[in-house]
């Protein structure tokens, strides 16, 4: 179960990254060119929104099972790997997912097409940057790999 969740969490990060990048570039280009908002634009945003929520659910499962979250002996705050996963990764990923969700919902509610693209672009870009700031990069000490 734990290994399965780890593989899923590791794989969905790529789907989320591609979905976010696509939605961000799409929103930026169409915002700047004054294009009208079509169903495909809503779907591009929806795919990023759904993948971020699937990642959140799997992350919560991992949070309960992962040995990396539970420091052995020392307190979580004193052990760098446990602190990273139990506090930093958790907090920043949730903030990133909230930004993506707010962006998706605000864009859906906006009545003006330019405003829809602009909202998606701003919220998704900040959400992506927040996520990138606290994922366990393979070149860091947290034992993550590229795939
Ligand atoms: C946008 C959302 C997220 C992204 C992109 C992301 C990305 C990652 C990556 C790349 C890893 C390393 C996987 C590996 O070992 O190869 C990881 C591990 C982990 N993530 Fe996330 N994560 C996200 C959200 C979350 C959330 C919301 C939680 C907790 C509620 C969470 C909990 C964990 C835990 C506990 C691990 C360590 C698993 C282990 O190796 O035992 N993640 N995450």
């Amino acid at each position: 179960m734990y290994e399965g969740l780890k593989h899923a969490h590791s794989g969905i990060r790529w789907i989320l990254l591609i979905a976010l990048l696509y939605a961000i570039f799409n929103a930026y280009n169409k915002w700047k060119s004054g294009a009208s908002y079509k169903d495909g634009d809503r779907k591009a945003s929806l795919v990023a929104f759904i993948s971020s929520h699937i990642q959140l659910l799997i992350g919560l499962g991992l949070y309960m099972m992962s040995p990396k979250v539970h420091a052995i002996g020392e307190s979580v705050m004193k052990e760098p790997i446990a602190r990273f996963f139990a506090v930093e990764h958790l907090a920043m990923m949730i903030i990133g997912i909230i930004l993506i969700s707010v962006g998706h919902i605000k864009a859906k509610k906006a009545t003006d097409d330019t405003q829809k693209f602009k909202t998606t672009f701003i919220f998704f870009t900040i959400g992506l940057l927040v996520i990138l700031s606290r994922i366990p990069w393979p070149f860091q000490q947290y034992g993550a790999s590229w795939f």
Side-chain angles (χ1 to χ4, degrees), residues 9-107:
H9 199 64
S10 195
I12 288 170
R13 71 178 140 165
W14 292 109
I15 297 174
L16 177 59
L17 177 68
I18 292 164
L20 274 176
L21 286 175
Y22 179 81
I24 288 169
F25 282 111
N26 181 61
Y28 183 79
N29 287 336
K30 293 186 178 169
W31 167 29
K32 292 296 167 188
S33 67
S36 56
Y37 196 89
K38 303 244 170 65
D39 201 43
D41 303 311
R42 185 188 62 81
K43 281 185 184 148
S45 167
L46 186 66
V47 173
F49 173 81
I50 292 174
S51 352
S52 73
H53 281 249
I54 295 174
Q55 190 70 327
L56 171 66
L57 289 179
I58 297 172
L60 287 171
L62 276 177
Y63 198 81
M64 288 181 257
M65 290 180 201
S66 172
K68 289 180 186 164
V69 171
H70 309 284
I72 305 151
E74 297 239 41
S75 90
V76 163
M77 294 311 276
K78 282 193 190 141
E79 209 282 298
I81 295 181
R83 189 181 64 226
F84 178 84
F85 285 105
V87 184
E88 298 171 16
H89 183 62
L90 169 80
M92 297 305 264
M93 296 309 111
I94 288 179
I95 294 172
I97 294 167
I98 289 173
L99 284 163
I100 292 165
S101 309
V102 172
H104 176 72
I105 292 162
K106 270 174 93 75

